[in-house]
Amino acid sequence: MRKRTDFLIIGSGIAGLSYALKVAKHGKVSIITKSDESESNTKYAQGGIAAVLYDTDSYEKHIQDTLIAGDGICDEEVVRMVITESTARVNELIEWGANFDKNESGEFDLAKEGGHSEHRILHHKDITGYEIERALLQAVHKHPNIEILDHHFAIDILTQHHLGKEVNSRTPNIECFGAYVLDLKTNKIITILAKTTLMASGGAGHVYSTTTNPTIATGDGVSMVYRAKGKVEGMEFYQFHPTSLYNPGESPSFLISEAVRGFGGILKTIEGKEFMHKYDNRKSLAPRDIVARAIDNEMKISGNDFMYLDCTHLNKQALIDHFPNIYKKCLSIGIDITKDFIPVVPAAHYMCGGIKVDKQGKSSINKLYAIGECSHTGLHGANRLASNSLLEAIVYSHQAAMNAIQQLPSIGYCEQIPEWNAEGTNHPEEMILLTQSLREVQSIMTNYVGIVRSDIRLKRALDRLNILYNENEALYLKTTISPKLCELRNLINVAYIIIKHAIARKESRGLHYINNINN
Ligand code: FAD
Ligand code: SIN
């Protein structure tokens, strides 16, 4: 089956939806998304979106905070562009219908998070992402040019490779012609021909055993582009959020927003002693890489499975009003955050690296844009500043949309692309093998490529991953396509890239921390 569209969008989080709203006046837009339309990392964002709105703050301060968190390797031009655009793009989000909390004087109630020198985080209680996703979906539903194909899984992007031509990383003009997409309702693979394609497929938290990300976060976009020989950068920088709720057996892990520390929450040991002063003079509000490493270290020294976040000294009603969802969730497992310490552990949270793009969101493959968490723009450097991710997504959706609209009239469809060939494939005899391999990938990454790494651990990780890669490729060639099989393949790919990039970086920098003492 074949389908044609002007703008193909893979992913329905903040990146894909905001881009759709921008390009829709100029042609037919098809958003494909592999689960329910709202399921995304966006939906679970808690703390909020960073932006400079009032004179008490300045672009320069936000720029400096971003550069400091990024540990010297942010692309400063990109940082300046994203932050000076923050006011206009956030106002657009508000025009599309997103509501952010205001104080009694009618001004936005700005929160503070780690690494920020000012209060500048717009939020909707502690469910900011849910509100943004709601507003964007509502606006998208009203637009006659936009269709959402939910439960449609992108398998691979289409390039000259599918015309039988050799494509490698040195091929000068790789082009994207759309994607092969599995319709999960009919189990048929559709060839979607597109004039331009946007990858907005989010992160890959499930490459680790413990993550704050929903199950859709399996690195599909990065992996598809890597297979198509597009450029991928910065994957050694996987961000662990310092404070996910310690609740053994629960997956994904529930996040305890950094805004709770911004509100006055203090990290403590099991004995109730503060420890962050030993690591950074910003204490519990130091940038994430530092706090996550400190917690990891304290857990290793003490042998305990978690540390505590203490909010018991804070105004009870204000705490509940600001964080109703966190309050409710903790209460559901017997923790009253106004009276009890909250047990917390770091969990994989955000992919700072991704598909390399320029300031227009263009990837190294012609007619393929990438924005949001799956992209690598240069904004985050070696460590993302809290709440800069939703901001990056809306700034780049604008940049990419402007460019795609301009390019569209000169682009046609590549009709020669053949239909998907499923010959010689069969249903797998044992799906359990896929589950077991997934657990192995996650445990390799957690044990050897986590918060603290070493040369020996990275080599071990690569050797073990190679076995899984070979097994899975053999299985892939003879097995009927399913999301589970593709996601495992993609996660193995992403794990491989993270390890390769980590091995190539011969220094500790931001989130990539090497300690060879125990080698
Ligand atoms: P996503 O929102 O993850 O959307 C990706 C989409 O792609 C999904 O619809 C998914 O189903 C689809 N998809 C993926 N693969 C395929 C495929 N093969 N075929 C079809 N569809 C596919 N950032 C902040 O700035 N502030 C915060 O307060 C904040 N809090 C967070 C809290 C949590 C718990 C988490 C997990 C993240 C948080 N982040 C926060 C990070 C931020 O939410 C994400 O980086 C951002 O929402 C990513 O948006 P996106 O549109 O790029 O991707
Ligand atoms: C949080 O609320 O702590 C998450 C913020 C982010 O990931 O930027």
Side-chain angles (χ1 to χ4, degrees):
M1 191 187 153
R2 267 168 130 70
K3 191 175 164 60
R4 289 168 193 78
T5 190
D6 292 317
F7 301 97
L8 172 63
I9 299 174
I10 302 174
S12 59
I14 187 172
L17 296 177
S18 58
Y19 172 91
L21 288 169
K22 295 214 151 232
V23 295
K25 247 196 339 212
H26 303 269
K28 182 177 172 199
V29 181
S30 304
I31 304 175
I32 62 156
T33 190
K34 67 179 173 179
S35 181
D36 294 339
E37 60 179 13
S38 70
E39 192 58 356
S40 56
N41 275 4
T42 301
K43 183 178 167 187
Y44 299 93
Q46 292 188 356
I49 179 161
V52 175
L53 289 183
Y54 301 123
D55 290 346
T56 44
D57 195 1
S58 72
Y59 290 134
E60 198 51 39
K61 281 190 201 163
H62 190 179
I63 288 166
Q64 290 310 322
D65 292 346
T66 302
L67 292 172
I68 291 168
D71 202 12
I73 59 164
C74 299
D75 180 332
E76 189 166 338
E77 256 186 58
V78 165
V79 174
R80 289 188 177 278
M81 177 189 85
V82 171
I83 286 164
T84 51
E85 281 284 298
S86 63
T87 323
R89 301 283 77 90
V90 160
N91 280 328
E92 208 161 40
L93 204 50
I94 294 166
E95 278 162 30
W96 281 326
N99 294 306
F100 298 111
D101 292 353
K102 292 190 170 161
N103 58 28
E104 282 148 10
S105 36
E107 293 191 327
F108 286 110
D109 172 43
L110 301 176
K112 195 171 180 188
E113 291 179 0
H116 286 274
S117 56
E118 290 291 340
H119 283 73
R120 64 167 72 96
I121 321 288
L122 286 116
H123 60 98
H124 181 98
K125 302 286 179 198
D126 53 355
I127 51 164
T128 311
Y130 187 89
E131 168 61 12
I132 291 175
E133 189 71 17
R134 179 205 62 75
L136 290 176
L137 277 171
Q138 200 170 44
V140 159
H141 290 155
K142 284 190 198 143
H143 208 295
N145 284 359
I146 308 177
E147 64 174 354
I148 300 189
L149 304 170
D150 60 355
H151 300 278
H152 279 63
F153 187 102
I155 303 166
D156 263 319
I157 57 165
L158 306 169
T159 67
Q160 294 96 316
H161 167 77
H162 299 96
L163 299 170
K165 298 187 182 152
E166 199 201 312
V167 175
N168 59 45
S169 52
R170 289 175 308 281
T171 306
N173 280 313
I174 309 176
E175 286 188 73
C176 177
F177 306 119
Y180 284 130
V181 175
L182 174 62
D183 177 345
L184 299 171
K185 292 170 187 162
T186 62
N187 257 328
K188 297 256 177 332
I189 294 176
I190 316 169
T191 308
I192 302 190
L193 299 178
K195 291 185 181 167
T196 66
T197 302
L198 175 80
M199 196 59 81
S201 53
H206 285 272
V207 76
Y208 289 99
S209 308
T210 313
T211 177
T212 62
N213 294 185
T215 50
I216 53 98
T218 52
D220 300 352
V222 165
S223 184
M224 282 186 255
V225 170
Y226 188 76
R227 275 197 296 275
K229 312 296 177 205
K231 291 202 172 91
V232 172
E233 269 186 359
M235 293 289 284
E236 67 273 39
F237 302 120
Y238 217 102
Q239 183 170 72
F240 282 71
H241 196 292
T243 55
S244 77
L245 179 64
Y246 175 75
N247 185 24
E250 179 174 8
S251 175
S253 302
F254 182 80
L255 184 72
I256 305 294
S257 174
E258 197 155 303
V260 176
R261 277 174 281 136
F263 198 72
I266 296 170
L267 288 164
K268 294 189 171 167
T269 62
I270 302 290
E271 292 76 32
K273 292 206 175 83
E274 288 188 39
F275 60 88
M276 274 310 300
H277 58 279
K278 292 193 276 176
Y279 300 90
D280 195 284
N281 57 19
R282 288 161 290 186
K283 300 184 188 166
S284 293
L285 274 179
R288 263 179 210 174
D289 55 335
I290 297 170
V291 183
R293 238 174 357 253
I295 295 179
D296 184 66
N297 196 43
E298 291 292 323
M299 282 165 47
K300 281 181 179 147
I301 294 170
S302 65
N304 292 314
D305 289 335
F306 54 84
M307 290 288 119
Y308 277 129
L309 183 61
D310 175 11
C311 300
T312 56
H313 55 290
L314 301 174
N315 179 290
K316 181 176 167 167
Q317 199 50 51
L319 186 65
I320 298 171
D321 288 347
H322 274 81
F323 305 105
N325 194 42
I326 292 174
Y327 175 70
K328 204 170 95 201
K329 168 69 193 183
C330 290
L331 209 54
S332 77
I333 58 164
I335 300 163
D336 179 346
I337 65 171
T338 67
K339 295 190 196 128
D340 308 317
F341 290 2
I342 312 170
V344 290
V345 280
H349 182 63
Y350 182 83
M351 185 172 75
C352 291
I355 301 158
K356 179 182 161 42
V357 294
D358 67 10
K359 282 206 266 177
Q360 273 67 50
K362 285 193 286 179
S363 75
S364 62
I365 297 179
N366 291 339
K367 298 180 289 182
L368 177 73
Y369 299 82
I371 62 171
E373 191 166 339
C374 70
S375 69
H376 182 257
T377 63
L379 174 70
H380 309 308
N383 175 41
R384 175 179 67 99
L385 183 66
S387 289
N388 263 357
S389 155
L390 295 170
L391 173 64
E392 181 191 49
I394 51 168
V395 170
Y396 271 84
S397 81
H398 178 77
Q399 297 295 110
M402 295 307 117
N403 195 275
I405 291 165
Q406 207 186 7
Q407 301 296 320
L408 191 75
S410 61
I411 307 172
Y413 297 115
C414 182
E415 298 290 352
Q416 301 85 342
I417 293 286
E419 299 290 283
W420 177 266
N421 181 0
E423 241 170 70
T425 59
N426 291 300
H427 288 287
E429 279 155 30
E430 289 191 281
M431 287 299 273
I432 190 69
L433 288 178
L434 302 183
T435 312
Q436 283 158 348
S437 294
L438 174 63
R439 297 280 171 269
E440 280 186 63
V441 178
Q442 291 168 334
S443 97
I444 290 170
M445 293 302 287
T446 303
N447 292 337
Y448 304 128
V449 201
I451 293 174
V452 178
R453 300 156 179 185
S454 70
D455 293 347
I456 281 192
R457 281 165 186 263
L458 292 176
K459 184 177 177 313
R460 267 194 182 198
L462 194 59
D463 291 346
R464 281 154 177 71
L465 193 75
N466 271 332
I467 299 171
L468 287 169
Y469 172 80
N470 290 328
E471 281 172 4
N472 198 61
E473 282 307 291
L475 190 69
Y476 183 82
L477 292 175
K478 59 177 193 185
T479 308
T480 311
I481 287 288
S482 68
K484 204 165 172 170
L485 177 65
C486 292
E487 287 179 346
L488 172 61
R489 189 177 190 225
N490 292 336
L491 283 170
I492 291 174
N493 240 295
V494 164
Y496 174 80
I497 308 169
I498 295 175
I499 298 167
K500 286 298 255 192
H501 287 192
I503 289 173
R505 185 165 289 282
K506 304 284 179 209
E507 58 170 355
S508 287
R509 171 88 54 177
L511 296 159
H512 174 70
Y513 189 80
I514 286 276
N515 180 356
N516 280 326
I517 292 170
N518 299 323
N519 267 2

